[in-house]
Amino acid sequence: MNAAGQWIAFATVARREVARILRIWTQTLLPSAITMTLYFVIFGTLIGSRIGEIVPGVGYIDYIVPGLIMMAVVTNSYGNISSSFFSAKFGHYVEEMLASPMPGWVLLSGYVAGAVLRGFMVAIIVLGISLLFTRIQMHHPWVTLSTILLTSIVFALAGFINALYAKKFDDVALVPTFMLTPLTYLGGVFYSVDMLGSPWRQISHANPILYMVDAFRYGLLDISDIGLGYAYAVMLGFAITLTLVALHLLRRGVGLRS
Amino acid sequence: MTTTPALDVVELTKTYASGVQALKGVSLRVEPGDFFALLGPNGAGKSTLIGILSSLVNPSGGDVHVFGVSVREQRSQAMALLGLVPQEINLNPFEKPLDICINQAGFYGITRAAAMPRAERYLRQLQLWDKAHQTVRSLSGGMKRRLMIARAMMSEPRLLVLDEPTAGVDIEIRRSMWKFISAINRAGTTVILTTHYLEEAEQLCRNIAIIDRGSIIEHSSMKRLLAKLDVETLVLDLAEPAEPVATRLPEIAGIALHAVDALTLEAAVPRGHDLNSLFAALTQAGIVVRSLRNKSNRLEELFVRLVDNGKGAA
């Protein structure tokens, strides 16, 4: 398959993923809108007004906006690819792609592109909702956009690997429940890691989501606990490692070819 | 000058992680333009073989070449030449037939502009165009099977592999499917078919292989194979007899005759043996024959015999 053919195959997989996201928007886009609205009402307006400022000059509701957007990006990019690819496996229609000339890396890219686009869609939705509660001024647009891009790529790849190993739908639900949710809540969405004492502050630095939230908060609000260089190193490191792992598993046919 | 075979299977082995040895050194050759039957009882290894040649199953040893291209070494190039209609329905229930066909073309690097008229042509030919915009879950089983054929044709493959494509399909739809596939074959596409409807295989296919317990036990032309049938079993339906036939069955040289029930006889007649002696002896015994038919079609009789012999040898 030549480069033009690979591009068409990639666009086909990505377009099919976007069509799926839009077809079942009540399952893919609406839940984040409702959940995040509740977060803004409860933690931002009701409780946030009593908390005051975590960082001087930044209200609590402003402080949690980047974290909540990242929380939506993480769960949606992961959930999109893990449920879509596992459904294709479960229903055996993944064979349409496996028995085609499309190389594994094109298949992976198409699915990741779909998950990244869902990540951006929910980021825009949650940002739009946040503007109903507060005024946010984007300080560093490229940092903001690149952080969403890298975060959604990392979690799309993780979701893909989960779907490869999953044998039943329960296996797809386990990781978000027992890993993603705790890591997200402990990733500085609602608080600054500087508020933590030792050893919890040091332990928190082992959490990759902390770096993503911090970089995104820097992009939106120009405040950071960690430093941009570390955050990009972690995001790029995870993205490269997970890409190599996913491609290796695809080459070996793990979970796909008996 | 030798032509490159459409399919060349060389010493193919497959042992699953469970230890089951599904293929034990299978070698097979299918010529370009052939309509080839791959037959075998359930669990013989047919689907594993098809899984390997469509790259859905990793072989343990050996290789498969599609028009000279190795599935192991050049998977992408080999798959571009092959279309697969699998045994199990593997369609996304929430997608529409037109989208499924166009996406399938996309996986092969075919543009949407080129795919659209192709999808319309195949969906029309398979009487699915009026369902093109309905979701798959609203289609009947027969429609889904035809959609899988349309989907496989989107890349216009040189080799089309059909794994029991008519399973559970009514006779009318089955005939229309065979008409379509025969036309595809006449237009130059090599077709490999597995089916449990042996009369279909006998009518449609020019060459045949029979696989049993992971090994090829027969590989020849249909004509040559059918010529091996040395005895045909005929079923005779009788008129209501005055007394039980079993007690007055005549002895006929070369023909083994036995009563199945009060109104049915079976006669095993050697190839080339005339039937006059059979009818003369029955008439003399006062047995009136109302109708006569083959117990099974010729290929079925041979198939059962070959597979049974294999069991005996095992």
Side-chain angles (χ1 to χ4, degrees), chain A residues 16 96 98 101 257-258, chain B residues 55 58 75-76 90 95 151:
Chain A
R16 191 166 80 157
E96 292 174 344
L98 297 179
R257 303 179 205 272
S258 49
Chain B
S55 79
N58 292 324
R75 194 202 73 85
S76 184
N90 67 345
E95 283 188 326
R151 182 181 63 182

Side-chain angles (χ1 to χ4, degrees), chain A residues 62-247:
Chain A
D62 293 345
Y63 188 83
I64 64 171
V65 165
L68 290 176
I69 293 173
M70 287 314 276
M71 186 193 260
V73 169
V74 165
T75 53
N76 279 276
S77 53
Y78 189 95
N80 193 74
I81 204 162
S82 61
S83 65
S84 176
F85 193 73
F86 181 72
S87 296
K89 237 177 80 166
F90 190 76
H92 294 284
Y93 52 91
V94 71
E95 291 169 6
E96 292 174 344
M97 293 172 278
L98 297 179
S100 80
M102 176 168 43
W105 68 267
V106 174
L107 184 152
L108 178 65
S109 309
Y111 269 96
V112 168
V116 167
L117 285 168
R118 178 163 156 192
F120 271 94
M121 285 182 208
V122 294
I124 291 165
I125 289 169
V126 176
L127 182 63
I129 290 168
S130 73
L131 294 177
L132 300 174
F133 296 89
T134 184
R135 289 182 64 82
I136 294 279
Q137 193 188 347
M138 197 182 292
H139 284 79
H140 307 286
W142 290 112
V143 174
T144 307
L145 292 174
S146 61
T147 305
I148 295 179
L149 179 69
L150 283 169
T151 303
S152 50
I153 286 174
V154 166
F155 285 95
L157 290 163
F160 186 83
I161 292 167
N162 183 185
L164 281 179
Y165 280 107
K167 289 189 168 63
K168 50 189 189 301
F169 279 100
D170 288 353
D171 298 340
V172 174
L174 280 176
V175 176
T177 307
F178 295 106
M179 280 187 70
L180 283 191
T181 305
L183 286 177
T184 310
Y185 277 82
L186 299 172
V189 171
F190 298 102
Y191 58 87
S192 164
V193 279
D194 288 343
M195 294 165 66
L196 300 174
S198 192
W200 299 110
R201 191 191 302 178
Q202 288 75 13
I203 290 171
S204 288
H205 281 79
N207 179 0
I209 293 177
L210 176 72
Y211 298 86
M212 296 164 187
V213 170
D214 191 72
F216 193 67
R217 188 170 282 135
Y218 175 80
L220 272 186
L221 306 176
D222 196 29
I223 52 173
S224 169
D225 293 337
I226 296 165
L228 212 52
Y230 283 119
Y232 274 103
V234 168
M235 289 189 287
L236 283 168
F238 269 96
I240 292 166
T241 307
L242 291 173
T243 300
L244 294 174
V245 170
L247 289 175

Side-chain angles (χ1 to χ4, degrees), chain B residues 83 85 104 118 121-122 126 148-157 160 180 184 189:
Chain B
V85 179
Q104 182 72 10
R118 206 179 275 190
R121 185 167 78 244
Y122 289 121
L126 287 156
M148 293 204 296
I149 296 174
R151 182 181 63 182
M153 287 308 298
M154 286 305 295
S155 61
E156 303 199 326
L160 179 64
F180 174 80
I184 296 286
T189 304

Side-chain angles (χ1 to χ4, degrees), chain B residues 244-264:
Chain B
V245 288
T247 57
R248 54 196 171 98
L249 283 182
E251 293 278 330
I252 308 162
I255 297 177
L257 194 64
H258 79 275
V260 177
D261 56 43
L263 291 171
T264 317

Side-chain angles (χ1 to χ4, degrees), chain B residues 98 116 119-120 123-124 126-133:
Chain B
L98 184 62
M116 185 60 92
E120 183 176 346
L123 289 173
R124 279 190 191 283
L126 287 156
Q127 295 130 49
L128 286 170
W129 182 243
D130 58 331
K131 309 286 179 193
H133 299 285

